[in-house]
C-alpha cells in the first residue's frame, strides 16, 4: 500500500482527531472512507458548508424587521410592483 502525506494545520488536526475519536475513527480511516465514497459516488460525499458568521447589528435588525413584517407585527409599507415598468416609473419619480 502506498503512503500519502497530508498536511493539516495543528489546530485543525487536533480538533479533527477529537471528533473522529468520538466516532471510533482515525484520521487515516476517515480519509480512506471519504476517498472511497468519492470514487463510488463520483462526487464529494458530504455537504460543503462554511462556518456560520455572527450577523452584524445592521443585518440582525433587518432580519428582525423582515420577520416582524411577515408576522404582521409592524405594517409592511414597502411598495410592490406587478412588472418592471411599474418599478422603473417608481424609481424615476425618486
Amino acid at each position: 500500500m502506498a503512503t500519502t502525506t497530508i498536511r493539516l494545520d495543528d489546530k485543525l488536526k487536533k480538533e479533527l482527531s477529537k471528533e473522529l475519536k468520538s466516532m471510533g475513527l482515525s484520521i487515516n480511516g476517515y480519509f480512506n472512507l471519504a476517498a472511497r465514497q468519492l470514487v463510488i459516488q463520483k462526487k464529494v460525499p458530504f455537504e460543503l458548508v462554511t462556518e456560520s458568521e455572527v450577523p452584524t447589528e445592521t443585518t440582525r435588525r433587518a432580519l428582525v424587521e423582515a420577520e416582524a413584517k411577515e408576522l404582521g407585527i409592524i405594517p409592511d409599507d414597502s411598495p410592490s410592483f406587478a412588472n418592471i415598468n411599474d418599478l422603473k416609473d417608481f424609481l424615476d419619480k425618486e
Side-chain angles (χ1 to χ4, degrees):
M1 180 186 300
T3 302
T4 301
T5 301
I6 298 174
R7 295 176 195 229
L8 294 174
D9 175 87
D10 288 339
K11 182 180 175 188
L12 175 61
K13 183 178 178 182
K14 184 177 178 180
E15 291 174 8
L16 179 62
S17 292
K18 179 183 173 186
E19 293 300 322
L20 289 173
K21 185 176 180 181
S22 73
M23 297 175 200
L25 288 170
S26 65
I27 291 178
N28 186 58
Y30 172 74
F31 281 108
N32 275 293
L33 176 72
R36 289 181 194 280
Q37 286 301 304
L38 187 136
V39 170
I40 291 168
Q41 297 180 29
K42 308 285 190 258
K43 65 176 189 163
V44 175
F46 45 83
E47 181 182 1
L48 299 175
V49 296
T50 60
E51 292 184 41
S52 61
E53 294 183 24
V54 176
T56 65
E57 181 68 19
T58 302
T59 302
R60 191 184 66 72
R61 287 178 180 272
L63 291 169
V64 168
E65 181 180 352
E67 186 173 3
K69 287 179 179 180
E70 186 177 307
L71 295 172
I73 297 170
I74 59 175
D76 185 358
D77 55 0
S78 303
S80 60
F81 309 98
N83 58 59
I84 192 71
N85 291 327
D86 291 347
L87 170 61
K88 287 179 181 180
D89 290 343
F90 175 80
L91 292 174
D92 287 340
K93 290 178 189 174
E94 297 287 309

